[in-house]
């Protein structure tokens, strides 16, 4: 163990759970309380192993597809990332009792897609192939209606059927700056392209990235607490590096910290993705406190007070 030399630890605020993640986890917990175990959950409710394991211990059973669930009267929950229309259709065909924990801000993108289709527009979705949110959004409409664009190069190469009647949507957890570059290309090439009625990248993603931009130039290195399959957490690492921080590491737990990087630092920034609970941030702080004499400072760039309503079937359990 190194000597306890001083360490400035800059805590980003906002960080950690957003309203959509908090709502999704509460839906699973309240469903277990109201109906008892087992409760089936299609896909990880949010992208965080600690959260998933915690819910498993309480009686949640996680599956990737509905065909892994036996014929049952037990509740089935769809994850916060959203699902293609085929999923609730299959659940209805099997007479399943299901609850949808899709983040309302993802549902907003789904509704936008359906409005654009109503007006006959060809839709560009900016996002990452294979991410559950992208799969869910593209699955709101018939195949071929939505075209996925991942990069600036994709945007330069995209050829619509009618450049005068197209629109774009975005995944809610993207890099704000990278997305702006892609939108700039689409807008230059297709001046008539219809933007989202309101920004699709969600408030929490934007706020966490802005907080990292404020802290990263002040830190020798940054830690992002989050999961490897969490898009918003991965983007925070990228934002930290682009904002001038020499080192940034994504860790799921304190045990993942690469001390060869962080023991040499005098100032470290710390944040957490939107699906990472604060208890894991505390774990990281305690790990540094065992090795160094800490000087904690919170740098706040926004206040968040967003709350989303629970499904009607669970409101009594919440009360």
């Amino acid at each position: 163990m190194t000597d306890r030399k001083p360490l400035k630890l800059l805590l980003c605020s906002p960080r950690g759970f957003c309203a959509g993640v908090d709502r999704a986890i509460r839906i699973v917990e309240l469903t277990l309380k109201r109906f008892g175990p087992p409760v089936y959950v299609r896909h990880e409710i949010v992208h965080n192993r600690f959260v998933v394991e915690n819910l498993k211990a309480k009686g949640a059973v996680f599956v990737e597809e509905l065909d892994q669930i036996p014929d049952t009267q037990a509740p089935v929950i769809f994850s916060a990332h959203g699902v293609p229309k085929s999923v609730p259709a299959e659940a209805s065909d099997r007479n399943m009792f299901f609850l949808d924990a899709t983040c309302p801000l993802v549902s907003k993108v789904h509704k936008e897609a359906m409005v654009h289709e109503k007006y006959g527009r060809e839709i560009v979705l900016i996002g990452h192939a294979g991410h559950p949110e992208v799969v869910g959004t593209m699955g709101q409409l018939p195949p071929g209606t939505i075209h996925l664009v991942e990069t600036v190069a994709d945007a330069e190469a995209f050829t619509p059927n009618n450049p005068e009647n197209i629109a774009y949507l975005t995944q809610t957890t993207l890099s704000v700056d990278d997305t702006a570059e892609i939108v700039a290309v689409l807008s230059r090439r297709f001046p008539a392209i219809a933007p989202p009625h309101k920004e699709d990248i969600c408030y929490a993603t934007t706020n966490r990235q802005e907080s990292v931009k404020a802290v990263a130039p002040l830190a020798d290195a940054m830690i992002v607490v989050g999961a490897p399959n969490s898009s918003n957490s991965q983007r925070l690492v990228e934002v930290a590096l682009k904002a001038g921080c020499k080192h940034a590491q994504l860790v799921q737990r304190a045990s993942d910290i690469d001390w060869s990087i962080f023991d040499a630092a005098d100032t470290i920034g710390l944040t957490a993705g939107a699906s990472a609970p604060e208890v894991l941030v505390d774990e990281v702080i305690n790990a540094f406190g065992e090795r160094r004499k800490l000087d904690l400072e919170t740098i706040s760039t926004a206040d968040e007070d967003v709350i989303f309503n629970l499904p009607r079937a669970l409101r009594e359990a919440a009360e």
Side-chain angles (χ1 to χ4, degrees):
M1 182 178 290
T2 62
D3 61 3
R4 288 170 57 83
K5 64 179 181 178
L7 172 66
K8 184 81 168 181
L9 195 56
L10 302 175
L11 305 177
C12 294
S13 177
R15 64 177 178 272
F17 278 3
C18 63
V21 164
D22 184 66
R23 173 181 180 269
I25 294 168
R26 289 189 70 210
I27 286 173
V28 179
E29 291 176 336
L30 289 170
T31 303
L32 285 163
K33 176 182 175 183
R34 170 73 174 79
F35 300 99
V39 167
Y40 292 93
V41 184
R42 183 189 179 276
H43 193 65
E44 291 185 345
I45 187 68
V46 298
H47 283 157
N48 187 275
R49 185 191 302 166
F50 179 87
V51 170
V52 169
E53 292 300 326
N54 210 356
L55 293 172
K56 278 184 181 178
K58 296 177 180 179
V61 178
F62 290 86
V63 299
E64 283 304 306
E65 298 296 343
L66 296 186
D67 61 14
Q68 296 173 257
I69 302 174
D71 290 334
T72 180
Q73 297 300 308
V76 177
I77 298 173
F78 305 149
S79 80
H81 311 98
V83 295
K85 276 189 173 179
S86 58
V87 173
E90 179 185 347
S92 295
D93 287 344
R94 292 184 57 187
N95 294 315
M96 288 177 163
F97 168 51
F98 61 88
L99 295 162
D100 191 353
T102 300
C103 173
L105 298 181
V106 174
S107 297
K108 163 192 165 291
V109 179
H110 292 181
K111 291 170 186 171
E112 286 178 326
M114 288 183 273
V115 168
H116 289 313
E117 186 201 28
K118 178 182 176 183
Y119 287 101
R121 298 183 185 120
E122 205 168 351
I123 302 167
V124 174
L125 174 63
I126 303 171
H128 297 297
H131 189 279
E133 183 184 329
V134 167
V135 173
T137 298
M138 296 186 76
Q140 299 306 304
L141 301 178
T145 310
I146 302 179
H147 307 277
L148 183 63
V149 166
E150 297 189 79
T151 64
V152 166
D154 290 345
E156 291 284 9
F158 174 65
T159 305
N161 294 320
N162 180 2
E164 299 301 312
N165 195 33
I166 62 173
Y168 76 85
L169 304 169
T170 80
Q171 185 179 332
T172 63
T173 55
L174 299 178
S175 160
V176 174
D177 295 336
D178 290 351
T179 304
E181 292 177 8
I182 295 171
V183 169
V185 171
L186 292 171
S187 300
R188 169 175 55 78
R189 294 189 63 219
F190 314 113
I193 194 167
H197 179 66
K198 186 179 179 183
E199 181 65 59
D200 284 342
I201 296 178
C202 81
Y203 78 94
T205 296
T206 301
N207 287 349
R208 280 148 191 73
Q209 289 180 19
E210 289 302 314
S211 182
V212 166
K213 287 179 187 177
V215 169
L218 309 175
D220 303 314
M222 284 203 69
I223 287 183
V224 177
V225 180
N229 60 340
S230 164
S231 174
N232 75 84
S233 298
Q234 292 280 10
R235 302 295 79 78
L236 292 176
V237 173
E238 296 168 2
V239 168
L241 294 170
K242 286 185 178 180
C245 193
K246 290 182 180 179
H247 304 284
Q249 185 188 5
L250 180 68
V251 303
Q252 296 193 77
R253 303 291 299 266
S255 56
D256 298 331
I257 296 171
D258 183 348
W259 294 110
S260 68
I261 295 173
F262 295 99
D263 275 340
D266 295 318
T267 303
I268 292 173
L270 176 59
T271 189
S275 49
E278 187 66 11
V279 64
L280 300 185
V281 175
D282 292 339
E283 183 181 276
V284 169
I285 293 172
N286 291 336
F288 276 104
E290 290 175 359
R291 303 170 76 93
R292 307 283 291 273
K293 183 179 179 182
L294 296 186
D295 176 13
L296 297 177
E297 180 182 348
T298 297
I299 295 182
S300 182
T301 53
D303 293 320
E304 294 181 352
D305 56 4
V306 178
I307 299 174
F308 294 133
N309 288 332
L310 294 164
R312 183 171 291 127
L314 296 179
R315 288 177 195 166
E316 286 184 12
E319 293 169 1

